[in-house]
Amino acid sequence: MGIALTARAVFLGGPGAGKGTQAKRLAAAAGIAHISTGDMLRQHVANGTPLGIQARAFMDAGKLVTDELIVAMVKERIQQPDASSAWILDGFPRTLSQARSLDRMLGASPVTHAIYFLVPDAVLKDRLEGRRTCGKCGAIWHVRTQPTARDGICDHCGGALQQRVDDRAEAIDRRLQEFHTTTAAPLQLHYRERGVLHVLDANRSPEVVYRDLAKLVQS
Ligand code: AMP
């Protein structure tokens, strides 16, 4: 169902909290840009660009790519015509320095909603370990909670499913640790001070989370 939306929203939350799934759906329903820094970086890695080559080692180890690289990439993207008035930023900002850079970039048209997807760590770990992504259409599955009809094959397009390198146990622990120390507390504070923070209980079915999210961003 289409919805009218002029939000400039940032989606915050741990890895596997459902930011990407919800951002994709909401952006499609509202006809606005979905800007995922993780997806953009993976594309750079796949294309072997200089940025991709620099970012790859950080990503595979579950570490954050440097603020400088990320901010430059987002700045360029947000100046594109499809992102002139409304967008969803998924996975950015992840540090206080990134949040401040974004504030400067936006000037008089600041972030309207910062949605914090709240999910307990144990649930995030389980979601990430079982997550499989279609290499062809990008659909996201889970080996236990959302399995495909045929093992390893996407139900939507027949593409082969892949496990992200950073969805392996060691990298997951590092990403969760990084999330708690660098992202969660400082960014909640940053956006609470600006009066735009909303905490969303994302430990529920995607349908229920979406219903609440759609209400939130239209308010
Ligand atoms: P994601 O798909 O959002 O989980 O991002 C995958 C990986 O890309 C992260 O683990 C980081 O290595 C990198 N990345 C994505 N967004 C950012 C960001 N805003 N700052 C630093 N690194 C990022």
Side-chain angles (χ1 to χ4, degrees):
M1 195 181 57
I3 57 174
L5 200 63
T6 46
R8 287 178 296 281
V10 297
F11 282 11
L12 314 169
K19 305 183 296 291
T21 303
Q22 298 291 345
K24 204 179 278 178
R25 181 167 172 189
L26 183 62
I32 64 175
H34 168 207
I35 303 173
S36 157
T37 45
D39 286 350
M40 289 171 80
L41 288 170
R42 279 184 287 277
Q43 198 60 54
H44 276 280
V45 171
N47 295 342
T49 66
L51 170 57
I53 291 164
Q54 286 190 73
R56 184 175 186 160
F58 292 101
M59 295 172 73
D60 285 354
K63 291 183 185 164
L64 291 182
V65 173
T66 62
D67 288 339
E68 256 177 306
L69 288 179
I70 290 286
V71 167
M73 187 180 82
V74 170
K75 196 167 183 179
E76 204 235 304
R77 177 64 186 89
I78 227 159
Q79 285 167 355
Q80 303 296 315
D82 68 326
S84 59
S85 58
W87 35 255
I88 298 170
L89 267 174
D90 156 20
F92 180 95
R94 263 177 157 104
T95 66
L96 192 54
S97 156
Q98 291 179 12
R100 289 179 175 147
S101 298
L102 180 63
D103 290 346
R104 284 194 292 274
M105 266 180 236
L106 299 175
S109 310
V111 167
T112 57
H113 300 76
I115 314 287
Y116 183 86
F117 287 66
L118 184 64
V119 179
D121 273 10
V123 177
L124 292 178
K125 250 179 137 159
D126 182 64
R127 285 186 185 178
L128 293 171
E129 276 170 5
R131 176 161 75 176
R132 299 291 181 273
T133 310
C134 174
K136 202 163 149 198
C137 75
I140 296 168
W141 304 93
H142 189 281
V143 290
R144 200 166 33 75
T145 57
Q146 217 187 348
T148 49
R150 281 181 299 159
D151 238 11
I153 307 289
C154 179
D155 282 0
H156 294 336
C157 74
L161 301 190
Q162 299 164 349
Q163 182 179 32
R164 280 169 46 173
V165 177
D166 59 351
D167 278 350
R168 304 205 174 128
E170 201 186 287
I172 291 175
D173 287 341
R174 198 194 290 267
R175 287 161 72 200
L176 283 172
Q177 199 186 342
E178 179 103 70
F179 170 68
H180 286 295
T181 51
T182 316
T183 307
L187 292 201
Q188 284 190 80
L189 183 62
H190 182 81
Y191 288 113
R192 188 173 287 123
E193 281 173 359
R194 281 154 185 74
V196 295
L197 179 74
H198 303 270
V199 178
L200 180 63
D201 175 4
N203 188 19
R204 298 175 295 167
S205 75
E207 271 312 312
V208 177
V209 173
Y210 183 74
R211 195 195 55 207
D212 280 5
L213 172 66
K215 268 192 230 149
L216 255 179
V217 291
Q218 289 178 90
S219 64

